[in-house]
Amino acid sequence: MAQRRTTRRTAGRRGARPAVPSPRPGSLGVLLIVSGPGGAGKTTLCEKLSAMSGGRVALSISCTTRAPRGGEVDGRHYHFISRQAFRRAAAAGRFAEHAEVAGNFYGTPRPFLEEQLAAGHDVLLDIDVQGGDAVRRLYGSRAVSIFVLPPSRRILEERLRGRGTDSPERVRARMELAEREIARAGDYDYLVINGRQEEAIAEIDAIRRAEHARITREGSGASWALKTWS
Ligand code: 5GP
């Protein structure tokens, strides 16, 4: 008996500081689409914001058919899968959206997304503009979209060249792809310029927080509070 009480007390102490905070009842998490040209730094912004959120902001890990780059870890940066496995998952409806980007396939796993949102956690999707379109179509006003730009075209070019791994032709091709993506920035809800990284992260976090308070966003904390306020 005493043994059981001790166990329960321990469990209670752990329960008092959960790794993942419980949601406010009735409010759904914010689905944040983050797009921008390669070289804008959006992946690092998303990773850092998620890491410093104390479990409030989950980062969706996409499936991809491209090969891992140096330092990339399966299950952390991407789920690296074969084309055949990708096709099977797409046919089974396991992606919220999927797209071909520069000859490789990328898809957002749907179950993780829906579980996190239902639990009231915000979810960051680091996806391209095609993925952004598809997620907006699927989730409507529940999705909030942010476009990330480097401070200038010159800096973007420097960043793409600075990787040092690509030929001049490859850098040109990436610049062209970047220009096509930048042309779509006007379709997004917010624009964040990634000059100083801490400021860009703070800005995305401010948008996220404001969206919880937005009355007109379906599933927001504010819309729930208005419905139930007495
Ligand atoms: P990279 O191969 O450089 O990691 O990513 C290439 C592009 O694919 C980036 O713009 C990235 O945001 C996008 N991307 C990554 N995951 C997904 C995904 O699940 N869906 C879509 N549509 N794009 C993705």
Side-chain angles (χ1 to χ4, degrees):
M1 200 55 196
Q3 176 71 39
R4 216 185 291 150
R5 260 204 306 272
T6 310
T7 311
R8 241 189 257 142
R9 264 205 306 271
T10 310
R13 265 206 304 275
R14 277 208 198 106
R17 295 183 60 199
V20 177
S22 34
R24 284 165 292 183
S27 76
L28 299 166
V30 181
L31 180 52
L32 291 153
I33 300 165
V34 181
S35 301
K42 59 191 190 301
T43 304
T44 310
L45 296 181
C46 288
E47 280 174 359
K48 292 204 168 166
L49 177 54
S50 174
M52 62 197 253
S53 73
R56 281 182 185 81
V57 184
L59 182 57
S60 165
I61 316 274
S62 298
C63 292
T64 184
T65 60
R66 87 152 160 75
R69 296 190 190 117
E72 281 183 336
V73 178
D74 186 37
R76 179 163 165 237
H77 297 97
Y78 281 106
H79 301 290
F80 295 100
I81 62 173
S82 67
R83 285 186 172 239
Q84 196 189 15
F86 193 97
R87 268 196 298 272
R88 267 203 307 270
R94 269 185 251 126
F95 295 134
E97 62 75 39
H98 58 95
E100 187 178 348
V101 185
N104 296 302
F105 293 99
Y106 296 82
T108 302
R110 191 166 182 164
F112 175 83
L113 193 65
E114 310 248 309
E115 280 159 24
Q116 292 294 317
L117 293 175
H121 304 144
D122 302 335
V123 184
L124 286 166
L125 301 183
D126 168 0
I127 57 177
D128 83 328
V129 292
Q130 305 171 71
D133 288 340
V135 171
R136 264 191 294 263
R137 275 197 300 275
L138 194 57
Y139 291 94
S141 77
R142 279 173 59 189
V144 175
S145 57
I146 302 173
F147 199 87
V148 179
L149 267 183
S152 70
R153 193 165 268 120
R154 185 180 56 76
I155 291 174
L156 173 63
E157 223 169 327
E158 274 169 20
R159 284 185 190 171
L160 290 180
R161 273 211 212 92
R163 289 179 174 177
T165 47
D166 294 332
S167 63
E169 294 77 53
R170 181 96 188 98
V171 172
R172 244 194 317 277
R174 289 171 65 92
M175 270 308 285
E176 276 166 26
L177 178 62
E179 294 292 352
R180 283 201 296 277
E181 295 218 300
I182 293 167
R184 295 288 319 280
D187 296 328
Y188 280 66
D189 298 316
Y190 295 94
L191 179 70
V192 169
I193 307 281
N194 187 14
R196 291 170 64 88
Q197 197 175 78
E198 317 78 70
E199 283 171 18
I201 293 171
E203 216 168 302
I204 296 176
D205 200 41
I207 293 166
R208 176 186 80 79
R209 286 165 188 266
E211 286 294 334
H212 276 286
R214 196 217 280 248
I215 291 166
T216 53
R217 193 178 58 79
E218 195 188 326
S220 75
S223 68
W224 170 256
L226 260 192
K227 269 185 217 137
T228 54
W229 190 85
S230 63

